[in-house]
Amino acid sequence: MRNRTDGELMKLVMDKYHPALEELYDRYAKLVYSFALKSAKEEQTAREIVQLVFTRLWTTQKGYDPAKGAFVNWIITITRNVTIDCLRKKRKEDQNLYLDRSHWEEAFVSTAPEPDAAMSSKWLGEQIQKAYVHLSESQIQLIHWMYWQGYTLSEIAVRTNEPIGTVKSRLHQGLKILRKHLTSLREG
């Protein structure tokens, strides 16, 4: 299993081949745990997120598409989504949850021993950090609330006392600027 690519392993996982999932777990559990711990700040929650992420890999119907990007980015996206779901659930239980922006920026810097995963995560984090200079503080805060704290557009509108259309527009413009900047970095 160790000599197989992540894409090959994921195809085997979709065929319900347990050793393939075990190998992906060995490769990425530390990265997933690190990301979850930085976001959730609780070891127990981070362990639950790791379990949920690998359960999702086992049960996914779509799977990983290598044409759409690196596996490490795909699994981090799944981790982010699962983390947001857990944080939303926790926020309903405890309304005082707050993640400092520096924590979610650092979440892209991997502590994983695999050099390619660490470099990919570090590079992505650096590029996002560079792209911030093109955004207003309100756009950065909006992206932070939406993607890293898991607030809905409606909740953000209430929080900022703005119409939901204004919030949507600001989010759209911010993401458009980030996409443009990150695309130009990839091409250049």
Side-chain angles (χ1 to χ4, degrees):
M1 289 286 113
R2 292 184 183 188
N3 59 351
R4 294 188 184 251
T5 67
D6 296 332
E8 292 170 336
L9 289 172
M10 196 57 211
K11 285 180 184 175
L12 291 170
V13 167
M14 292 186 69
D15 291 336
K16 304 302 181 209
Y17 187 63
H18 287 274
L21 182 65
E22 291 170 4
E23 180 61 29
L24 286 174
Y25 183 88
D26 290 344
R27 289 182 189 182
Y28 293 103
K30 287 182 183 179
L31 175 65
V32 170
Y33 177 79
S34 174
F35 183 95
L37 184 60
K38 286 177 184 178
S39 298
K41 296 187 189 323
E42 292 180 6
E43 290 183 20
Q44 182 59 35
T45 303
R47 285 193 285 271
E48 289 172 15
I49 290 169
V50 171
Q51 184 178 7
L52 290 168
V53 167
F54 285 94
T55 300
R56 188 167 295 178
L57 290 185
W58 185 253
T59 59
T60 186
Q61 298 297 316
K62 291 185 179 182
Y64 163 67
D65 183 358
K68 293 184 179 180
F71 183 84
V72 68
N73 296 335
W74 184 71
I75 198 166
I76 285 297
T77 300
I78 291 171
T79 304
R80 181 185 64 84
N81 293 341
V82 169
T83 300
I84 287 171
D85 291 345
C86 286
L87 292 177
R88 281 183 179 159
K89 181 180 176 185
K90 183 176 172 120
R91 190 174 61 244
K92 288 182 181 182
E93 297 166 1
D94 176 9
Q95 293 294 321
N96 296 324
L97 178 65
Y98 180 76
L99 294 177
D100 187 280
R101 183 173 6 141
S102 64
H103 287 71
W104 60 268
E105 290 165 355
E106 292 169 7
F108 284 105
V109 180
S110 172
T111 57
E114 297 83 13
D116 59 334
M119 290 305 295
S120 177
S121 295
K122 184 176 181 180
W123 180 86
L124 180 60
E126 289 169 354
Q127 302 317 307
I128 290 173
Q129 182 66 31
K130 288 177 185 176
Y132 289 157
V133 300
H134 301 286
L135 299 175
S136 70
E137 190 60 36
S138 64
Q139 288 171 322
I140 292 170
Q141 186 65 50
L142 175 59
I143 290 170
H144 171 67
W145 284 335
M146 180 85 177
Y147 290 99
W148 300 106
Q149 286 194 336
Y151 286 97
T152 65
L153 287 170
S154 300
E155 291 171 327
I156 294 169
V158 168
R159 188 175 194 158
T160 59
N161 198 25
E162 296 176 321
I164 194 165
T166 302
V167 174
K168 284 181 183 179
S169 178
R170 186 180 313 121
L171 176 65
H172 175 73
Q173 289 302 315
L175 293 176
K176 188 175 172 182
I177 290 167
L178 279 178
R179 189 177 307 114
K180 178 181 175 186
H181 181 71
L182 292 174
T183 301
S184 69
L185 284 173
R186 234 183 268 141
E187 293 171 353

